[in-house]
Amino acid sequence: MAASAKGRLVPVLAVAAALAAVLLYRAPFSKSLGGEGCSLLPHDHFWIASERVVTLGRVGPAAVEVKGGLINAIAVGDYRNFVLRRPLLDYGDAVIMPGLIDVHAHLDEPGREEWEGFSTGTRAAAAGGITTLVDMPLNSFPSTVSEETLKLKLEAARDKLFVDVGFWGGLVPENAFNPSALESLLNAGVLGLKSFMCPSGIDDFPMTNSTHIEEGLVTLAKYQRPLLIHAERIPDVEDDDGLDGELDPRSYATYLKSRPPAWEESAIRDLQRAMKDTEAGGQSEGAHIHIVHLSDAKASLELMKDAKSTGASVTVETCPHYLAFSADEIPDGDTRFKCAPPIRDGMNRENLWKALLDGHIDMLSSDHSPSAPDLKLMEEGNFLKAWGGISSLQFVLPVTWSYGKKYGITFNQLAAWWSENPAKLAGQKNKGAILPGYHADIVVWKPEAQFELDESHSVYHKHRNISAYLGKEFSGKVLSTFVRGNLVFAEDKHAKAACGVTILAKKTYSTFTLKRIGNGKYAELSPSDKAKPASLRASSSVELSRHPSSMAMAATAKLTLLLPTTLTSTVSFPTRVVLKPFPPLQRLVVAAAAASSSSQTLSSSHSFETPEARQIRLETESALEWGSVCARLADFAATAACCAACVEGRVAVGRSREESERLIEQTAAAVLLSAPLDFGGVEDVSAVVAAATGGRLLAVREICGVGRSIRAARGVFDQLQSLAQETQDGRFSPLLDVLQGCDFLTELVQRIEFCLDSTLSLVLDRASKKLETIRRERRRNIEMLESLLKDTASKIFQAGGIDSPVVTKRRSRMCVGVKASQKNLVPGGIILSSSGSGATYFMEPREAVELNNREVKLSGDERAEELVILGLLTSSIADSQLKIRNLMDKILELDLACARGSYALWTNGVKPSFSDSYSSSQSDQSSDYSVYIEGIRHPLLLEQSLMAEDSNIEASEMPVPLDMWVKKDARIVVISGPNTGGKTATMKTLGLSSLMSKAGIFFPAKGRPRIPWFDQVLADIGDHQSLEHSLSTFSGHISRLRRIVEVVSKDSLVLIDEIGSGTDPSEGVALSTSILKFLASKVNLAIVTTHYADLSRLQSVDSRFENAAMEFCLETLQPTYRILWDSTGKSNALSIAKSIGFDQKVLDRAQEWVEKLLPDKQKERQGLLYDSLLNERNLLESQANEAASVLSQVEGLYSEIRLEADDLESRVAALRTRGTQKVQQELKVVKSQMDTIIKNFEVQLKNSKLEQYNSLLRKAEAATASVVAAHQPNEITFSDDESQSLFVPQIGDKVYIQGLGGGTVATVIETLGEDGSCIVQYGKIKVQVKRSKMKLVQRGINETATSSSVKPKGRTPKQRSAAAETNQSQDGSVSFGPVVQTSKNTVDLRGKRVSEASYELQMAIDACRPYQVLFVVHGMGTGAVKDCAIDVLRNHPRVAKFEDESPLNYGCTVAYIQ
């Protein structure tokens, strides 16, 4: 009972979900259809159903809901109990598939309506199941080669279209080299362009060559639209032997010889460079080449394969008449069969079918090219003069099906060739498939219905008698055609009204690029993804009703309802799929609002500004070159999203002082990072998440990318936590706070990793029990199939039917190879294909048919199950979109902080602080200033020098540092000075530093700079003359100032360059004064530059004004680019003119005028006073710099002494310890030596005679005395001999210092007074010593040697090291350690490169103790490592000798180390 109730509940839930989806979903739709007479149905909301519906890569029972011109839902499976009240058109077992899209048709209107016309052509298209046509630009008059001619075409099509119609434009020589003309045509709405590489036969559509094509592709690349090419070209050297002698123009063979395959091959070869340009990184990347009506299936087709294999963006089409007819079947004189390129022989036809089935030919088109009957010359039968073109628009579907049945074509392949791939070429996102949200463009047809195209059959072309298909028998009758939900054709009737739509491309167009990913399947590629593999685009589909033991995509009695929205779902691992409730409308609205607010995280502080303020801000940022600073940050960005944000200038700027301080603290923390954070694995998944939210089914690689990015974000957080725990001082808290509170979606990541293999980009078996079962059954079936075919192939080989056993796949079915003459060895087999020569058939044995059918079914089931799993994961991502976007925004914020930190380290930037948040002591000299920046350099000028240094190239001088000191009470700073003196650069530097501070970017300066926080930075810099807006230079400035005055606030910074210039000086001064007086009460700070002296005098009457001047050197007549505060500068125009070589006579005359205009001597006195003050200032600065230098040296010396003194006690203790240890060690040595002497004496005493006793005693005493002398301590004595009194210290002398410790040598580094006192250095200590307190060490010997004036007390043993004494034998030779190999005295160089071996050996030698034996293992090998080792040993100063390898030590050399 419960099971029965549950079974009844499932359809009810499905209906409820469908109704919810209908209420929530509103797909974009350009035109409301269903008007009066547009449809043969009275409904705009209905269902159509059949046992054979082509959707989602499968064919089976389904019902399609049509509402408002769109496909609203699809019920797959047992739909009869689901469709309740809506009208249902049940077509039984007829095939329902996407309407055909013909991208190659000539409708000939306007100008040649007698050939065809929009009305008759689209009627014929509707009758043939075609729902969309794309009209060619020629055969009408005029041809569509400009915006104006396109308008004529649109006007002619009005109210005449029974199907949707788009338009190609023409690429001809007159517009190929005129990008503006092409862009005008493309902006008008053509879907792409078409060109001919041979004469077209139309006067106003001349042929193009490869140069024209390459130029046109450059323009098309901007719009990402295709170029269709008629690829026939007369070869440069044409073989015309076949045309010799008398030719019969009525013979089709004559016409065939006149256009050989070499024409097509020559054209495609000529296009190779153009095709290469469409590859990723090419000059035409983004454009696409499409070869129309390919006829040659040999050399031309191979060239196209090669182009695709190299990554060129190319596709190719062929036409039904090339697949239906062969040259040997065409009667002489029957000019209805004439077309260009021509129909070729039967073998060529077979090869075309093979290429189509294998996916090398991408799509089909009609090339419907009718004409007036008299132009076909059917009575005369002259192939050479008759108009070429096959009239076929109404018959392409039955022709393709009828001639393709013997090749085993499927309905899915028909949909790909005629709908899916043509839609992508034409850029039609909502056409080409039966999927929710797509246009309801549908054809219903009966494949089994046969008919003869005779006089009784209705033909809707303009001229039925010119079609080559008349009199032929076909299978496949079109029953109904729906265009955007309107039933426009049914039962040989058309709708009363022509309600088709003209399709025009939008200016931002980017969805035509195709890439083959399987047999007959193509995927769209965006320009950024062109070089990457892509999966076939599919709709987002979610199963509403699902039984635990079966999957909805299989042929079960359950129902799958496909909706255009993504339903929230989760996967309960490992096998069960569970669905959450559909989100309510209110939740969707709130989520959308939240997403909108989240997207503003990066867009800085300008969300609420007025359009006027925004325009001024953008102009200011451009004038200050803020975008260049942001772009430089991109060099330090770790993620693609951060790099893009920096390049585009979307760097976060604080919206308040607190927010800017937070950004500064983040930068400061980033500077302290010892190693960069690892952002590896973080991808820019914003587009993927948006696609999932918008309802697109994500590919495996896209879902894996989301998972990887989330996991990588968690890794960054863990890394920061680890750093914070190590330091424990909170230095990394500002960075850690960015990710605090983020949801790292652990469950979603685990779900993705459980279902998908990110390395191989595939769905794992464990993703669902059904997928695991399907794949297990498929593997078992393939094993059985391969075993059967291998046995069959072996039998054929043993019977002599093939040279070697062949098992292969043709047309997605496994088969065996057999010679054509031996095909009877496979009785009942089906010929799937043949070799290029026709000598070998590839046949499917009768026994393998069922297994192949099962393989096809299981393959489809597997793909369907994979789509369900991907749909559920896509739904999970869509449901988590806000969390993912928030997490990625936080990662972007963190990456920006790290980029700012790296930038600060690169430029030696310092941390700024804001004036109103800065607490300073009364003694701080900067406390009186609102702007206090010392030694700032313009960031962009500094970057140029730094980049030159990094590149090891000669760079210009570093920019001059500027000191900016603006007093707290100052509101207006007037900067005067010479032209080219740096006034504008100074102003820009301040403006740029203000923006950088707000954005948390450190700028290059000294100390601790202070600057106010400005809510706006507004600038009037540069020439704003505009002829377009009738603005002169002056009026442009005034216009800008007016807008600035309107938007300023109390916290604004205003920058005005050359205020009041460009007009009468008196009026300019008056206007400038008034503006500055106004701004003084309105802004925080305004910086202006001027040459008007009157503006500099405002400081004397208004305390809010402050003056500054740019320094000018009168000696060099060059600006120094230094700013002088509280000074008024001169323009120095005459001095500058003189420095650049102006005529002196003119300058002298100008000087006379200056003297006449100035008051008597007043200006001279001002100049003298100014120069005097300037000289005094320079002197004081020089003395200050010298004092600062001395202070720096003293502080350095103090620091060194302090460091030495801080650790003095511990070092004394350490020295005592080492001394004690040394004494104890010497005692052990002495005891050992004495024990040896006594032992030897006792032994000799026993063996000696009495008379030898005295001799032995003396020897023992001598040996004892030697031991005592050897361990006697040395002390330096200072004698006042004559040589010492004559000693004059010189720099570099090595001397002993009295009181510094015996044996300690110091170096003379500086001589001082006449008394011979000097400064000596011992280690880091420098002291002044008198000559009497030092003794000279003899020059040219080691520091440990003593001079004649310095004598040690006691006996003086020979100077040698302790190691030498220990290891020197009695005969004077040195003894080394035992020659015994251990792990500690062995270095193994085997397996290393020569450079590595050399380095390793040198390190080992340096690490050896004195008189150690080192075993160098180099192996045998090629001898390179051995040669390297021998060379190192031979040249190393510590190697006393070495022994080459011996029979006991193969591959090993023994070295003796000193």
Side-chain angles (χ1 to χ4, degrees), residues 1108-1134:
M1110 301 309 299
E1111 188 179 48
F1112 186 83
C1113 181
L1114 296 177
E1115 296 179 359
T1116 62
L1117 299 180
Q1118 294 292 330
T1120 64
Y1121 304 108
R1122 298 172 59 190
I1123 188 169
L1124 306 176
W1125 293 93
D1126 288 328
S1127 298
T1128 302
K1130 297 187 295 184
S1131 294
N1132 292 294
L1134 299 183

Side-chain angles (χ1 to χ4, degrees), residues 185-409:
L185 180 57
L186 292 166
N187 288 334
V190 296
L191 305 182
L193 302 177
K194 165 75 180 293
S195 72
F196 268 73
M197 296 185 72
C198 63
S200 67
I202 300 296
D203 293 337
D204 64 344
F205 203 95
M207 63 180 284
T208 56
N209 56 34
S210 58
T211 303
H212 298 126
I213 289 170
E214 290 167 12
E215 288 294 323
L217 284 172
V218 173
T219 301
L220 283 167
K222 302 176 185 177
Y223 291 79
Q224 300 166 15
R225 302 185 197 175
L227 174 62
L228 285 69
I229 302 176
H230 182 123
E232 278 188 297
R233 174 181 177 272
I234 302 175
D236 297 330
V237 179
E238 187 179 8
D239 183 8
D240 57 358
D241 293 341
L243 298 177
D244 291 340
E246 293 186 5
L247 299 174
D248 181 6
R250 290 179 52 82
S251 170
Y252 185 78
T254 299
Y255 175 65
L256 191 59
K257 292 177 182 179
S258 70
R259 299 182 90 104
W263 281 33
E264 293 185 78
E265 178 185 357
S266 174
I268 295 176
R269 285 193 185 279
D270 201 35
L271 288 172
Q272 285 181 320
R273 187 170 68 178
M275 292 189 291
K276 185 76 173 174
D277 288 343
T278 65
E279 295 178 12
Q283 70 171 3
S284 302
E285 180 185 3
H288 180 80
I289 292 177
H290 179 74
I291 303 300
V292 298
H293 50 48
L294 181 73
S295 170
D296 174 33
K298 293 183 180 179
S300 303
L301 181 61
E302 291 302 319
L303 290 173
M304 293 303 299
K305 291 181 185 178
D306 293 341
K308 290 182 179 182
S309 67
T310 61
S313 181
V314 295
T315 48
V316 60
E317 74 182 35
T318 192
C319 304
H321 44 268
Y322 298 124
L323 302 172
F325 306 128
S326 63
D328 50 352
E329 299 171 353
I330 297 176
D332 289 344
D334 195 347
T335 55
R336 295 176 304 165
F337 290 89
K338 179 181 178 180
C339 59
I343 298 167
R344 307 199 187 278
D345 58 39
M347 183 56 66
N348 187 80
R349 175 178 59 186
E350 295 297 315
N351 290 335
L352 284 175
W353 271 111
K354 181 177 182 299
L356 181 64
L357 292 167
D358 290 342
H360 300 306
I361 295 176
D362 309 303
M363 64 192 75
L364 298 175
S365 67
S366 69
D367 191 15
H368 175 69
S369 182
S371 68
D374 56 340
L375 295 178
K376 296 296 288 185
L377 303 180
M378 288 186 289
E379 293 182 0
E380 181 181 345
N382 188 329
F383 277 101
L384 300 180
K385 294 182 179 180
W387 182 263
I390 304 290
S391 185
S392 58
L393 204 55
Q394 187 176 336
F395 317 122
V396 292
L397 179 57
V399 169
T400 307
W401 175 250
S402 299
Y403 288 95
K405 282 193 301 181
K406 71 174 184 176
Y407 300 96
I409 66 174

Side-chain angles (χ1 to χ4, degrees), residues 774-809:
I774 291 172
R775 287 182 173 173
R776 184 169 57 249
E777 293 179 1
R778 189 180 177 194
R779 285 192 291 269
R780 188 183 304 116
N781 186 72
I782 289 177
E783 290 174 0
M784 296 170 57
L785 182 59
E786 289 179 346
S787 176
L788 171 65
L789 293 177
K790 286 179 180 178
D791 292 342
T792 304
S794 297
K795 292 177 182 178
I796 294 172
F797 169 68
Q798 294 169 2
I802 195 72
D803 294 334
S804 61
V806 175
V807 176
T808 184
K809 180 178 282 189

